[in-house]
Amino acid sequence: MSFAKISTRKIYEQIADQLKQFILEGGWKSGEKLPSTKELSEQFQVGRSTMR
């Protein structure tokens, strides 16, 4: 019997996907500044190093 490898998605990958989706849905307009690392880390409730 063989098992498939179980892969987990890293937190930064999940955050990147959410940010990408937000941009694609028009959450931020072209040329608009993104929130600071500090603000995003507070919103996602992760450390600042994860956001970098």
Side-chain angles (χ1 to χ4, degrees):
M1 176 180 348
S2 65
F3 296 99
K5 181 180 176 187
I6 298 174
S7 65
T8 57
R9 294 189 61 217
K10 307 278 186 205
I11 292 173
Y12 68 85
E13 292 173 327
Q14 295 176 42
I15 291 171
D17 287 344
Q18 287 187 45
L19 292 174
K20 180 179 175 181
Q21 191 62 38
F22 188 73
I23 291 169
L24 292 174
E25 291 174 353
W28 290 304
K29 295 181 177 139
S30 179
E32 188 175 351
K33 280 188 166 184
L34 297 176
S36 70
T37 304
K38 182 180 178 186
E39 291 174 295
L40 287 173
S41 64
E42 288 172 356
Q43 287 183 321
F44 283 103
Q45 298 179 359
V46 296
R48 288 176 56 198
S49 61
T50 302
M51 291 306 303
R52 293 185 192 143

